[in-house]
Amino acid sequence: MAQSFEAWYASLGIVTKACIAMVLGTALGITVGYVNVYSLLLNSSAITSFQVWRFFTAAFFFGGFSFQWLMTVFSFISFLRYNEESSFKGKPADFALAIVFVILVIGLLGIYMGLPVTSSSLFLAVVWMYCKRNPTTNLGMFGFDFKASLFPWVLVAVNVLLVGSDILSNLLGIVAGHLYVFLKDVLPETHNLRLLETPLWLQRYFVAYGGQVNTPFGAAGNFNRNQPPPPSQRFFTGKGQKLGS
């Protein structure tokens, strides 16, 4: 029996729902003309004029409503969910911190690289985090199955060669995602350095949403993988609406 939209949405984690709200909010604001698109874009004003919201609006702006937008956002939501139901299961505070960390990294580097929109970077970062922690999972695209360890590179190739996406923004997402995994998973194991511990106040805030307190990650190989995506799952990529079109 097909799952209803209400049941599907209710099954999502709180961080995934928050990201959906941001994606829908930016797209709806542009579509109805309530928001000037240039107020969402990333530029040096995010730092010099303390317009911090630009880090987040640029990361969640996938363009206006379209079929490509729908397919891209669906894939983005899928990987958010896979992360929140596997390595971040029961740890919404950790997942929220991971998303914020990645957005700030791609935002700071994006300003330096002159990238006004960083949504594709955020997408790749989320994909990289999941695939790095679940390397043997099978993920499908366009009728072909790929190991998760290879999937991010396949996605980059599709984005660049078929969609026409900027390769730098894709690679930026991989860099940001890998930096998070390195700081969160590798350094604590190799050098006993914990540079990305989630603050207790943030953990306590998410207790109401099923979170736990004082449950640090272990090694990358010890994550909960009870709910990997089915091998038949297919992912689509798309390019956001061009500015001024």
Side-chain angles (χ1 to χ4, degrees), residues 5 8-9 12 15-35 40 56-66 69-74 76-77 80 119 122:
F5 175 81
W8 170 81
Y9 184 78
L12 299 177
V15 178
T16 299
K17 289 179 179 177
C19 291
I20 292 175
M22 286 291 296
V23 171
L24 290 177
T26 55
L28 184 61
I30 295 300
T31 300
V32 301
Y34 183 75
V35 177
L40 305 179
F56 297 88
T57 54
F60 288 107
F61 181 54
F62 286 87
F65 294 117
S66 66
W69 177 92
L70 181 63
M71 293 298 99
T72 302
V73 170
F74 175 77
F76 177 57
I77 293 172
L80 287 170
S119 53
L122 177 59

Side-chain angles (χ1 to χ4, degrees), residues 4 17 19 38-39 45 54 85 87 90 117 122-123 134 152 161 174 180 237:
S4 67
K17 289 179 179 177
C19 291
Y38 294 103
S39 67
S45 297
R54 291 182 182 272
E85 292 181 348
S87 59
V117 177
L122 177 59
F123 187 1
N134 301 271
L161 299 178
I174 289 179
Y180 174 81
T237 58

Side-chain angles (χ1 to χ4, degrees), residues 74-92:
F74 175 77
S75 297
F76 177 57
I77 293 172
S78 295
F79 274 100
L80 287 170
R81 180 176 186 175
Y82 297 151
N83 274 286
E84 197 159 13
E85 292 181 348
S86 56
S87 59
F88 292 102
K89 186 176 180 62
K91 303 171 184 177

Side-chain angles (χ1 to χ4, degrees), residues 150-169:
L150 180 64
F151 187 81
W153 302 110
V154 175
L155 187 58
V156 170
V158 170
N159 284 343
V160 174
L161 299 178
L162 300 183
V163 180
S165 178
D166 178 25
I167 188 172
L168 290 180
S169 61

Side-chain angles (χ1 to χ4, degrees), residues 1 21 38 41 56 62 90 93 115 126 140 142 154 167-168 177 198 203 230 238:
M1 182 177 179
Y38 294 103
L41 303 183
F56 297 88
F62 286 87
L115 298 176
V126 171
F142 303 139
V154 175
I167 188 172
L168 290 180
T198 306
Q203 295 185 51

